[in-house]
Amino acid sequence: MLHNITLIPHLVRMYVRTRMEYRGAMFLAWLSQGFSYGAMYATIALIIARFDNLGGWQWPDMALLLAFHLLAYSLGASLSFTQFRDIEEKVRLGTFDAILVKPVGPWTFLVFSGLNIGYGGHVILATGLMAWSLTQVGLAWSPLLVLYFVAALISAAMLTAALMTMIGTTALVWVRSRHLFSIFFGFWELARYPLNIFPAPLQMLMITLAPLAFLAFVPVAVILGKPVPLLGAWAPLASLAAGPLCMLLAVFHWRWCLRNYQGAGG
Amino acid sequence: MAAIISADGVDKTFRQLKRQSGLAGGLRSLFSRTYTEIRAVSDITFAIEPGEAVGYLGPNGAGKSTMIKMMTGILTPSAGALSVLGREPHTNRMRNAREIGVVFGQRSQLWWDLPVRDSFALNRHIYDIPEARFADNLAFLTEMLDMGAYLDRPVRQLSLGQRMRAEIALALLHDPKIIFLDEPTIGLDVVAKDAVRKFLARVNRERGTTIILTTHDLVDIEEICPRLIMVDDGKLLFDGELTRLRADLGSRRRLTLEFATDPGPLPLATATLSRDEGAAKHYLLEDEAISLIDVLNEVGRGHGLKDVKLEEPDIEEVIRTFYQNKSRLAGAAS
Amino acid sequence: MRAGAYPAFALTAFQSRLAYRNQVWASAFGELVISFAFIAIWTAAFAGQVVVDGATLPEMITYVMIAGLLYWNTDRLINDVGEAVRTGDITIFLLKPLSYPASLLATHFGHYVFDQLVVTLPVLLIVGFSVGLLPPASLFHALMALPFWALSWLMLFTLGALCGLLAFWLLTAFALEWFLKGIMALASGAIVPLWFMPGWLSGILGYLPFAWVSYYPTAIYLGKLDPPATFLYFGIGLAWLAALGGFLAWLWSRARHRLIVQGG
Ligand SMILES: Nc1ncnc2c1ncn2[C@@H]1O[C@H](COP(=O)(O)OP(=O)(O)OP(=O)(O)O)[C@@H](O)[C@H]1O
Ligand SMILES: [Mg+2]
């Protein structure tokens, strides 16, 4: 365990140096992704500009929701998305086998030897938008609120990482998991709108089986003091528990898949 | 001495998806799929002593890689008992990992975009190799494998031969007790193969590192591994000394007699004529007990015998005969 | 050059997708969820109003469904070209008696048909039966929607192929894919129709080629353009396609030249 932790800086350093070999492409990617999210948010702003609000959320509220969504996602995804998306390929090429014969926790190795610094564009856009929206929504800041804000952000990032871990790890047993990622991103896209505008079954789905409501809507609604459907007063607690709980589940799932790993032919 | 690796009735069964062909088959597979069971390794038993070098040989799909994956703890056997360094490899994968080295011929463990040296340095941390020990080993391996010229070049710029030597060095930096190599010489040219073989033989001899290697190239086994384990279709065919394989099969030594002038047909009782080129005649010696003297006595004087050449059978031929016999047996049985 | 080879590319692409059964189910499911979400978004936006800027809620629901259908995901196309450039596999095509752009067109036509038939059509049916979709505004608009549909796909293909080929010079298709994604989100009208945008913005976007991907075909279907305007905009769209197609051909000839001279 301690060995794993002391190894982390070395693994991260290797990966960062690899990415820096192609830094031009990386900065271009930051720019393009920042642009792309910006354009997407502009379309949402256009809807609200024409219709005043979306389910009772005005543009500054929406901006905070979008910023929280993007920031929590990119923090969690930097620890998980590319790493676990590529497990499928690592299994097929046998590079996952090579990870298993090292005296390191394979999760530690996988996550930190690929700690994705490609989310620069996301983070810059998200923090910028968040800062602007916070000046607009007029929150009554208190130490408790600050604490909640930070904790909810961490929980949401954990949720992202945990879900990605679970999805990607499935490839160890079922060989393929890409399709599960497309389902994830389907719900992930919905998660940037106010939950209350969706039909009840969808709301239910998004706080249970596909718990992406906790990625942004629930915490931001709590911060803004807006009603949370289905959860009501439990919303603050639930949003803080969602990340750690999913993480725990992910740990069990990862262990189970590792035990049942079959490798690939050749 | 206790065995460092022992396998007792080890089995591995995979489930494989049956692909359906054609448009109709593809559409059908959207709704239902069928699987077949593949017994990649079946009932394998052997024991390997510390310091041995063992070649694991067999045709494609024989289950060699699968066996290596089980011994290194990557896969769990479906049945049977396996022990490596006194432990069950799958349940003790991480503990065993410190004491073994693994080289996969077809996939790299080096960091593609970084200098070779960086991958080595990372392994120092991964395996907690003491600073001095690391420096010694790196110097020794660099010298032995002649890597000095490219230690600071990114891996993506290396030739396959250079990369393979780096892979092997990477697997040996932490002084493993056993090194597993899955087709380490695949794709290398003659010179690179030779360098790798000489090096592995030396590591085995001087450091006492146990070597298990799978290969299709018989010369690998001839030069590195005194002991041979042959598998086909998951099953063990032969386990023993290479020389014993020859003896078991009856060593068909090759004899060439050269005469000053063509002596005409010359049938012998002690050897079978295989090819007659007139002044040069080729024979096969089927019987181990017959010596060159016996043959020469039979030929006698007066034919103007100029030169005699006796060749031991090469291993390719031994194995080919082995497989031929086996398929003949299988054919007779069915 | 055998023209008969090209349909084979399309068929192979179509069949290859069948092998990924989970991917098919997941895409259809994801598409369904997103469709219901967009319906919910517009329902919430209208918030009880009957007509906004001349459009009713049922019209908007039909709009998002059709515009979404037309807004085909070009990631696979850009990736294919980008990978072929990166790995140098593209040189293999120079040795074959085939035109690379044409084989690419055939292959991705196969993918397009697959996506529409297996993924989008079932979703349209489900939404049609559960929520309800409007029929075309008139026979004229129904008939005109078809050539607009073809134009829409060709436009998307050309844009995607352009982004992929630019990887020759920029060495990364990834960033281009994201730039295109961003532009399309806003300018294709797949999410917000141009009539809800401020005048200055719809004025600009209405003349950029991206609007022919989702906005115009759907607007025609809903009868938002009268016959003369329909023909006019079809003409403008064709002109854009010709211009972009010409640019693509020119880029490809430059790329070929580079490959031949520099050996990849
Ligand atoms: N993960 C897997 N899933 C299904 N079948 C597998 C898997 N791994 C191996 N097999 C099958 O098991 C058999 C043995 O494979 P293995 O890779 O061990 O052969 P090998 O002796 O290493 O062959 P080669 O010389 O080609 O490397 C093959 O029939 C292969 O298709
Ligand atoms: Mg193998």
Side-chain angles (χ1 to χ4, degrees):
Chain A
M1 190 64 203
L2 186 68
H3 173 64
N4 282 348
I5 292 169
T6 55
L7 203 58
I8 289 174
H10 299 290
L11 292 172
V12 172
R13 211 176 57 105
M14 295 289 273
Y15 180 74
V16 170
R17 289 187 48 202
T18 297
R19 285 302 287 267
M20 282 301 152
E21 289 279 305
Y22 307 96
R23 66 189 73 129
M26 192 179 74
F27 290 127
L28 204 58
W30 283 24
L31 195 69
S32 68
Q33 290 187 306
F35 168 79
S36 192
Y37 280 101
M40 185 63 218
Y41 297 165
T43 62
I44 297 174
L46 282 174
I47 300 180
I48 296 179
R50 184 66 197 77
F51 291 86
D52 181 61
N53 68 71
L54 204 56
W57 288 55
Q58 263 148 352
W59 174 242
D61 308 332
M62 266 312 280
L64 184 61
L65 180 65
L66 293 171
F68 197 97
H69 180 267
L70 189 60
L71 189 60
Y73 165 73
S74 44
L75 292 180
S78 68
L79 287 165
S80 55
F81 176 48
T82 45
Q83 294 93 320
F84 288 95
R85 179 198 60 193
D86 295 344
I87 277 198
E88 196 179 300
E89 199 180 57
K90 289 195 173 88
V91 169
R92 194 164 46 77
L93 298 177
T95 34
F96 192 76
D97 295 348
I99 295 178
L100 288 179
V101 297
K102 294 183 204 305
V104 198
W107 191 85
T108 309
F109 190 90
L110 201 68
V111 166
F112 292 99
S113 70
L115 183 73
N116 198 348
I117 52 170
Y119 289 103
H122 294 64
V123 172
I124 293 169
L125 177 67
T127 43
L129 191 62
M130 188 178 278
W132 175 82
S133 63
L134 284 177
T135 64
Q136 301 296 308
V137 292
L139 289 181
W141 287 106
S142 67
L144 198 66
L145 186 60
V146 174
L147 208 65
Y148 176 77
F149 196 105
V150 174
L153 192 65
I154 293 172
S155 172
M158 278 170 89
L159 177 83
T160 307
L163 290 177
M164 297 248 179
T165 303
M166 281 195 261
I167 293 172
T169 310
T170 305
L172 293 183
V173 177
W174 299 112
V175 186
R176 293 220 169 81
S177 64
R178 287 266 159 126
H179 59 286
L180 294 175
F181 278 109
S182 26
I183 294 181
F184 172 90
F185 280 108
F187 285 104
W188 170 86
E189 212 171 310
L190 306 197
R192 57 179 169 220
Y193 298 97
L195 188 67
N196 50 297
I197 66 171
F198 297 124
L202 204 54
Q203 292 181 3
M204 199 62 198
L205 208 57
M206 288 193 60
I207 57 171
T208 52
L209 275 179
L212 282 159
F214 294 105
L215 176 59
F217 173 77
V218 179
V220 174
V222 169
I223 290 162
L224 293 174
K226 289 184 183 292
V228 178
L230 301 171
L231 290 171
W234 288 97
L237 201 64
S239 68
L240 294 184
L245 276 180
C246 277
M247 207 49 143
L248 206 65
L249 230 97
V251 170
F252 286 121
H253 182 66
W254 165 257
R255 296 220 173 121
W256 183 83
C257 286
L258 217 52
R259 260 202 311 281
N260 290 283
Y261 175 57
Q262 289 302 303
Chain B
M1 223 188 301
I4 193 165
I5 302 177
S6 74
D8 188 7
V10 171
D11 254 53
K12 182 72 196 176
T13 310
F14 290 112
R15 210 168 67 127
Q16 263 181 359
L17 181 64
K18 236 199 231 149
R19 288 240 174 268
Q20 285 155 339
S21 59
L23 192 59
L27 280 172
R28 207 173 322 119
S29 72
L30 282 181
F31 301 97
S32 76
R33 9 191 72 177
T34 43
Y35 294 89
T36 39
E37 299 245 302
I38 293 201
R39 207 164 167 202
V41 169
S42 66
D43 198 22
I44 297 272
T45 302
F46 58 75
I48 292 167
E49 302 297 318
E52 275 197 278
V54 180
Y56 209 84
L57 184 80
N60 288 124
K64 304 181 296 294
S65 301
T66 306
M67 195 63 206
I68 295 265
K69 286 182 199 168
M70 287 193 283
M71 289 190 280
T72 49
I74 296 169
L75 297 179
T76 328
S78 311
L82 191 59
S83 154
V84 172
L85 294 156
R87 294 183 279 257
E88 193 182 36
H90 187 69
T91 43
N92 295 282
R93 195 188 72 239
M94 295 249 266
R95 256 178 87 192
N96 272 9
R98 280 183 184 278
E99 301 179 51
I100 64 172
V102 188
V103 176
F104 297 108
Q106 283 147 311
R107 50 201 82 126
S108 181
Q109 301 192 54
L110 297 159
W111 287 66
W112 189 245
D113 288 307
L114 300 181
V116 181
R117 192 186 287 284
D118 290 12
S119 295
F120 289 172
L122 181 66
N123 261 29
R124 179 166 86 74
H125 298 292
I126 291 180
Y127 290 91
D128 279 332
I129 310 168
E131 193 86 58
R133 188 77 206 128
F134 177 76
D136 280 358
N137 276 348
L138 186 57
F140 169 78
L141 292 166
T142 307
E143 158 82 35
M144 278 300 303
L145 287 164
D146 198 17
M147 299 188 298
Y150 59 83
L151 220 44
D152 290 304
R153 295 230 315 261
V155 175
R156 61 166 190 270
Q157 295 175 3
L158 303 188
S159 74
L160 183 63
Q162 292 171 328
R163 211 195 74 206
M164 208 56 226
R165 278 180 278 166
E167 301 276 359
I168 294 174
L170 189 72
L172 284 169
L173 273 174
H174 58 287
D175 295 315
K177 297 202 175 96
I178 313 173
I179 175 164
F180 295 93
L181 304 106
D182 194 2
E183 304 191 23
T185 56
I186 196 161
L188 302 189
D189 69 15
V190 186
V191 181
K193 270 184 182 169
D194 193 54
V196 166
R197 285 173 189 145
K198 290 226 161 65
F199 172 75
L200 286 174
R202 184 164 166 200
V203 167
N204 176 245
R205 206 169 50 238
E206 291 180 5
R207 303 198 153 191
T209 311
T210 309
I211 293 182
I212 318 288
L213 73 86
T214 75
T215 184
H216 293 285
D217 192 334
L218 302 159
V219 188
D220 285 350
I221 292 184
E222 208 157 25
E223 299 209 341
I224 310 167
C225 310
R227 178 172 165 193
L228 173 70
I229 291 179
M230 228 201 280
V231 287
D232 188 20
D233 201 14
K235 290 183 279 292
L236 192 89
L237 292 185
F238 174 86
D239 177 4
E241 304 272 307
L242 192 55
T243 44
R244 209 193 87 209
L245 180 65
R246 285 198 182 116
D248 275 10
L249 286 171
S251 62
R252 304 211 295 180
R253 289 164 294 168
R254 253 189 282 222
L255 176 70
T256 308
L257 301 178
E258 271 185 55
F259 301 91
T261 53
D262 185 356
L266 189 61
L268 295 174
T270 43
T272 336
L273 186 69
S274 63
R275 205 164 76 244
D276 194 340
E277 292 171 3
K281 298 193 189 305
H282 304 271
Y283 296 88
L284 286 175
L285 292 178
E286 311 264 4
D287 191 345
E288 190 82 8
I290 288 176
S291 73
L292 186 56
I293 310 286
D294 297 331
V295 182
L296 291 184
N297 277 340
E298 192 188 350
V299 174
R301 297 186 164 272
H303 291 294
L305 186 60
K306 213 177 66 181
D307 200 1
V308 180
K309 206 162 75 195
L310 184 64
E311 285 170 281
E312 288 293 319
D314 74 343
I315 180 171
E316 297 257 4
E317 168 144 351
V318 171
I319 306 251
R320 212 175 307 123
T321 343
F322 191 94
Y323 281 124
Q324 273 162 10
N325 288 345
K326 192 202 69 169
S327 55
R328 217 179 303 135
L329 285 176
S334 63
Chain C
M1 214 177 291
R2 277 145 303 171
Y6 296 111
F9 275 104
L11 191 67
T12 310
F14 188 94
Q15 284 189 357
S16 70
R17 297 287 295 283
L18 285 170
Y20 299 88
R21 137 174 119 150
N22 295 334
Q23 191 74 59
V24 173
W25 289 121
S27 311
F29 179 74
E31 191 77 23
L32 190 67
V33 170
I34 296 217
S35 299
F36 277 108
F38 271 106
I39 292 170
I41 289 167
W42 284 109
T43 311
F46 269 72
Q49 299 171 77
V50 179
V51 182
V52 178
D53 291 336
T56 62
L57 181 58
E59 275 183 330
M60 267 323 292
I61 289 176
T62 307
Y63 183 94
V64 282
M65 290 309 300
I66 293 184
L69 170 149
L70 293 168
Y71 179 27
W72 176 64
N73 191 341
T74 47
D75 291 359
R76 181 191 303 273
L77 169 64
I78 298 177
N79 259 325
D80 274 10
V81 183
E83 273 300 282
V85 168
R86 198 180 59 79
T87 58
D89 282 356
I90 205 163
T91 47
I92 296 170
F93 280 94
L94 298 180
L95 307 173
K96 291 183 186 173
L98 291 169
S99 143
Y100 177 63
S103 68
L104 205 62
L105 185 84
T107 301
H108 288 275
F109 183 68
H111 285 301
Y112 186 69
V113 173
F114 183 90
D115 284 330
Q116 301 302 19
L117 219 60
V118 183
V119 180
T120 320
L121 188 67
V123 173
L124 271 185
L125 288 177
I126 294 173
V127 173
F129 281 115
S130 58
V131 182
L133 291 171
L134 296 178
S138 71
L139 184 65
F140 169 79
H141 289 106
L143 288 177
M144 279 314 285
L146 293 174
F148 266 94
W149 186 6
L151 186 61
S152 156
W153 183 69
L154 286 172
M155 197 76 93
L156 259 178
F157 172 82
T158 312
L159 289 168
L162 272 176
C163 282
L165 266 190
L166 280 174
F168 253 102
W169 291 271
L170 289 172
L171 299 175
T172 162
F174 181 86
L176 293 162
E177 182 185 317
W178 278 85
F179 276 123
L180 185 64
K181 227 197 272 274
I183 294 169
M184 293 300 285
L186 190 62
S188 73
I191 299 167
V192 182
L194 266 51
W195 63 68
F196 283 145
M197 297 182 182
W200 61 270
L201 187 61
S202 60
I204 299 170
L205 297 184
Y207 289 101
L208 292 183
F210 314 103
W212 272 267
V213 171
S214 286
Y215 174 69
Y216 284 116
T218 320
I220 303 292
Y221 178 94
L222 289 173
K224 297 286 173 193
L225 274 71
D226 57 22
T230 304
F231 287 119
L232 175 65
Y233 281 98
F234 191 71
I236 301 175
L238 275 184
W240 265 119
L241 183 68
L244 290 173
F247 184 45
L248 181 66
W250 179 75
L251 264 191
W252 172 239
S253 74
R254 291 288 308 267
R256 260 174 67 122
H257 183 70
R258 233 174 99 117
L259 280 171
I260 293 164
V261 174
Q262 304 182 351

